[in-house]
Amino acid sequence: MCGIIGYTGNENPVSFLIKGLKQLEYRGYDSAGIAVFSDNGTHIVRAVGPVRNLEHKVSKLSLQGFSGIGHTRWATHGKVTEGNSHPHQAGRITLVHNGIIENYSELKEQIEQIGRTLKSETDTEVLAHLIDIEVEKGFLLLEAITRVIPKLRGSYAFVVSDPEDPRCLIGVSQGIPLWVGNSNGNMLLSSDSRGLSLFTNEGFVLKSAEIVQCRPGSFQVFDFSGHLTTKNISLTQLSNDSSELVGFEHYMMKEIYEQPLAVLNTKAKLIQSAQLYSLPFKLWDHVQLMGCGSARHAGLVAKHYFEQIVGVTATVDYASEFSDCFNHTQPSTLVILISQSGETADTLSALRAAKNRGLATLSITNRKQSSLSLESDFCLFTEAGCEISVASTKAFTSQVSLLLALAYEWSYQIERVESSFRPQLNPYLSALPEQIAQTLQRDKQIRFIAEKLLSSRSFFFLGRGVLFNVAQECALKLKEISYCFAEAYPAGELKHGPLALIDKDSTVILLTTRGSTGDSVSDPLTHLQQDKMKNTLQEVKSRGAFIWTWGADTPYFRQESHEFPPLPSSHRFTEPILHTVLGQLFAYHLAHLKGAEIDKPRNLAKSVTVE
Ligand code: M6R
């Protein structure tokens, strides 16, 4: 949530700041701003909306300086206005901030009591005042910051400058990452490695409760007491994820098409991972899965894998609920935390709650060196590459495929001989990238159907078992980017209430199983599921809804549905991923046809680092 960038070096900071902000824009795009520091003082430019609005304003000025800071905002405290945009200034101090100062109201009162007036509605301005109060007393910037930190509650990262020393930038990290990079003596600070990647491939991330002081060509790291840390800090190679659109109109579509590779790489890296084989599987008989949004949906899908393939019990929680709930977790529980970014505040808080209860924790994340990966006992990485679009696509399917491979390996390690899925499953896991590629060939057909459904008032995704969980993911994707009403229900539940909502303006999407063999009716479970879905189909058909069936390739479903995009024949554990791909394509096309902002849906941000 929010992206921050800082630059001090021997060149003009402006282009570093604007280019860096564009890299970070996926983190928040309500407004953006920069401050440039020179001997002539501080120059601040801010604009509501995306970074291009700021860039336009900046292009009309000829800003020059030694250093600068920039920010792209996802509004939490205060409306989306220029006045609430960062950088914020109080007296001499200018800063940009990511995260939340939880006790800002009481701090604000204290500041106002000493006669200071705040100009914005943000918690950030409080921070600027607190530091300014200390520098006014004569403390150097670093000292002033260490005097303020004990007064703050919450997780935050900020970068601050004092015009008395305009070549120096100080960055602080408390529970929210802040990266430091060196590009030929130009020092950069950024909310993530992506913000640095255009300028350098060397950097490191500050540990929580660390402060960095940067000057051109050098940096020093301090603890929160202001003591220089003696540890050796090495600049590590930053990942070189491509952030080009390479011919796609939007990142979301590019990322949808990257899924065969993401899934292939995830499995390839997983099976080479020493961490996988060192997991003490025999210690655990229960899995508690947690995440937010799509990541939680991946957990819901994986619950079926752990229960059916490994034979352990599994529960799934919203990460945001876990720390407040009373859970019947036993010591033999493995808590699995799923997060693309590895920085989602709710998921981190669930991790910490689990650790406080003495439970073993395994994180599944896409970001090396993320807080989640560093704080959990064990970590396995998806290899989806950088996901820029706010709507999660390749991260989700990579998570599901990793969790499936994990369940497979677990059942193998504990020698669960009764697991009848193992022998059949492996070829399907290997075939998955190719099957995703085949599913992507439905792209044009899905767009054509989306055109027909432009005026539909509501969308109901219905499934049974694991396909209900995929239906939840499809509904989330559609809501998120097309702003249409979309809901998911277990197919059998529809008649217990939601059926009242179905009419001729509704679209009902039936996620049905095709079955493992291609000959869908030969498997009794497939047969049973398909029969029950036939009942659901008739219930909605008689209410006049538009019916769209995914999966089951039988004359019945073909005949009774208005539309019918077939899926490749796959295993019932890999099939959910193929259904998801159809859901992603549909959400994309409907949103595109409606003219919605695909990669940056309103009110959202890619990584939610506030609780
Ligand atoms: O980075 P994370 O995986 O922890 O993010 C979790 C959710 O915020 C995320 O999946 C969100 O629901 C997506 N925008 C859904 O497309």
Side-chain angles (χ1 to χ4, degrees):
M1 201 98 331
C2 301
I4 58 186
I5 185 99
Y7 168 89
T8 181
N10 303 313
E11 295 172 46
N12 189 2
V14 174
S15 89
F16 285 88
L17 297 177
I18 297 289
K19 284 182 184 159
L21 286 181
K22 285 189 172 167
Q23 291 289 105
L24 297 172
E25 197 172 12
Y26 75 98
R27 301 173 63 97
Y29 34 83
D30 288 331
S31 65
I34 58 169
V36 174
F37 310 110
S38 70
D39 281 339
N40 300 327
T42 302
H43 199 119
I44 296 180
V45 189
R46 304 184 291 186
V48 169
V51 177
R52 65 172 181 269
N53 296 359
L54 172 73
E55 188 180 25
H56 182 67
K57 264 186 153 176
V58 168
S59 68
K60 295 187 178 148
L61 309 163
S62 49
L63 294 178
Q64 297 286 334
F66 313 124
S67 64
I69 54 180
H71 187 272
T72 174
R73 178 171 188 243
W74 182 74
T76 56
H77 292 60
K79 294 192 192 69
V80 179
T81 61
E82 197 172 310
N84 286 332
S85 309
H86 301 220
H88 285 282
Q89 217 174 14
R92 268 162 52 186
I93 293 304
T94 310
L95 60 77
V96 288
H97 156 233
N98 176 20
I100 288 188
I101 310 297
E102 286 169 3
N103 55 334
Y104 94 104
S105 332
E106 70 199 60
L107 294 170
K108 185 175 173 212
E109 263 177 42
Q110 292 167 17
I111 290 166
E112 286 173 340
Q113 272 164 14
I114 58 166
R116 287 182 169 239
T117 312
L118 281 88
K119 298 185 291 268
S120 75
E121 303 161 292
T122 63
D123 51 342
T124 306
E125 197 188 342
V126 168
L127 184 54
H129 276 277
L130 291 173
I131 299 172
D132 188 56
I133 290 168
E134 298 302 321
V135 294
E136 255 197 352
K137 291 180 193 160
F139 292 105
L140 293 174
L141 183 58
L142 180 65
E143 288 174 293
I145 291 170
T146 57
R147 290 172 64 82
V148 168
I149 284 171
K151 300 181 183 158
L152 308 176
R153 276 208 318 269
S155 297
Y156 50 81
F158 61 89
V159 181
V160 57
S161 166
D162 175 0
E164 294 289 294
D165 189 1
R167 287 190 159 81
C168 169
L169 289 184
I170 298 191
V172 176
S173 166
Q174 168 60 48
I176 289 192
L178 188 64
W179 284 76
V180 183
N182 182 350
S183 161
N184 302 321
N186 293 313
M187 298 304 303
L188 289 136
L189 291 162
S190 168
S191 292
D192 63 29
S193 58
R194 192 175 142 73
L196 305 177
S197 60
L198 291 182
F199 317 112
T200 179
N201 55 11
E202 284 185 340
F204 70 94
V205 64
L206 283 184
K207 291 221 169 86
S208 187
E210 279 186 343
I211 303 174
V212 66
Q213 178 166 273
C214 294
R215 295 180 187 282
S218 72
F219 67 87
Q220 290 175 303
V221 176
F222 301 86
D223 64 21
F224 274 4
S225 313
H227 299 126
L228 195 62
T229 60
T230 47
K231 67 175 190 241
N232 273 339
I233 296 166
S234 51
L235 298 176
T236 53
Q237 202 71 18
L238 302 177
S239 71
N240 198 14
D241 287 328
S242 156
S243 55
E244 301 301 316
L245 276 167
V246 290
F248 286 94
E249 196 179 342
H250 298 102
Y251 284 107
M252 182 177 177
M253 196 50 124
K254 173 180 178 253
E255 289 158 8
I256 288 174
Y257 271 81
E258 283 171 347
Q259 290 179 107
L261 190 62
V263 165
L264 185 77
N265 288 346
T266 296
K267 190 184 167 210
K269 278 276 167 60
L270 180 75
I271 58 179
Q272 292 162 13
S273 139
Q275 180 90 112
L276 173 68
Y277 303 106
S278 67
L279 289 170
F281 291 115
K282 289 190 173 136
L283 294 182
W284 304 310
D285 59 15
H286 179 70
V287 173
Q288 168 75 54
L289 296 130
M290 281 184 286
C292 304
S294 293
R296 188 184 73 94
H297 292 160
L300 288 168
V301 172
K303 171 182 158 70
H304 298 267
Y305 300 157
F306 289 112
E307 292 191 333
Q308 296 179 42
I309 302 173
V310 187
V312 292
T313 52
T315 42
V316 188
D317 257 321
Y318 292 95
S320 58
E321 291 288 305
F322 184 70
S323 29
D324 301 339
C325 289
F326 175 78
N327 306 83
H328 296 275
T329 34
Q330 299 144 9
S332 53
T333 297
L334 172 66
V335 176
I336 301 184
L337 300 119
I338 309 163
S339 170
Q340 185 282 129
S341 61
E343 301 297 345
T344 299
D346 289 323
T347 312
L348 282 169
S349 153
L351 165 75
R352 290 166 192 152
K355 291 189 84 171
N356 284 341
R357 290 172 204 182
L359 302 173
T361 55
L362 164 66
S363 62
I364 309 289
T365 175
N366 200 36
R367 299 300 279 264
K368 316 265 170 351
Q369 304 220 50
S370 56
S371 306
L372 197 67
S373 71
L374 297 174
E375 288 185 38
S376 47
D377 300 319
F378 308 100
C379 182
L380 296 171
F381 292 100
T382 49
E383 298 289 336
C386 185
E387 192 180 66
I388 294 172
S389 174
V390 166
S392 183
T393 53
K394 60 178 181 171
F396 173 83
T397 47
S398 298
Q399 286 158 356
V400 172
S401 55
L402 186 149
L403 289 158
L404 177 54
L406 173 67
Y408 183 85
E409 180 60 28
W410 186 334
S411 78
Y412 181 75
Q413 298 240 350
I414 60 171
E415 291 160 11
R416 187 172 183 242
V417 280
E418 72 270 28
S419 176
S420 56
F421 303 114
R422 266 215 337 262
Q424 318 161 11
L425 188 54
N426 209 16
Y428 284 102
L429 259 173
S430 306
L432 191 52
E434 175 54 29
Q435 294 190 330
I436 296 174
Q438 284 171 27
T439 308
L440 289 170
Q441 289 171 10
R442 298 279 147 217
D443 191 1
K444 279 209 179 80
Q445 186 185 358
I446 302 291
R447 185 186 162 93
F448 171 72
I449 299 170
E451 280 167 11
K452 288 210 232 173
L453 295 178
L454 258 178
S455 59
S456 189
R457 261 195 314 112
S458 53
F459 296 86
F460 295 85
F461 292 85
L462 308 178
R464 302 185 69 89
V466 69
L467 291 181
F468 161 56
N469 303 124
V470 175
Q472 290 173 290
E473 172 60 8
C474 295
L476 172 66
K477 217 90 306 174
L478 194 64
K479 288 182 235 200
E480 190 176 20
I481 61 165
S482 76
Y483 316 139
C484 289
F485 174 84
E487 211 39 275
Y489 285 101
E493 184 64 18
L494 192 74
K495 56 188 177 294
H496 297 290
L499 190 59
L501 293 168
I502 307 286
D503 62 17
K504 64 175 180 25
D505 297 320
S506 317
T507 295
V508 175
I509 298 154
L510 300 168
L511 281 73
T512 58
T513 182
R514 180 177 165 154
S516 299
T517 60
D519 173 12
S520 44
V521 284
S522 65
D523 165 32
L525 194 64
T526 304
H527 189 61
L528 181 75
Q529 287 218 354
Q530 288 191 355
D531 271 356
K532 291 192 173 176
M533 286 303 269
K534 286 178 189 167
N535 297 344
T536 307
L537 189 152
Q538 291 307 333
E539 284 158 18
V540 291
K541 192 167 189 183
S542 53
R543 270 82 191 176
F546 183 94
I547 295 167
W548 189 7
T549 302
W550 297 353
D553 192 0
T554 68
Y556 177 87
F557 284 102
R558 254 182 260 142
Q559 194 182 307
E560 296 292 311
S561 312
H562 295 101
E563 287 293 344
F564 180 86
L567 283 172
S569 167
S570 61
H571 193 277
R572 68 187 171 90
F573 290 141
T574 51
E575 181 176 54
I577 293 179
L578 307 183
H579 279 266
T580 307
V581 173
L582 289 186
Q584 296 164 348
L585 289 171
F586 178 54
Y588 175 87
H589 285 304
L590 198 73
H592 196 210
L593 290 163
K594 283 179 175 278
E597 181 86 52
I598 305 273
D599 289 330
K600 296 179 200 139
R602 68 186 180 206
N603 307 337
L604 302 181
K606 183 67 182 162
S607 110
V608 185
T609 54
V610 292
E611 282 185 61

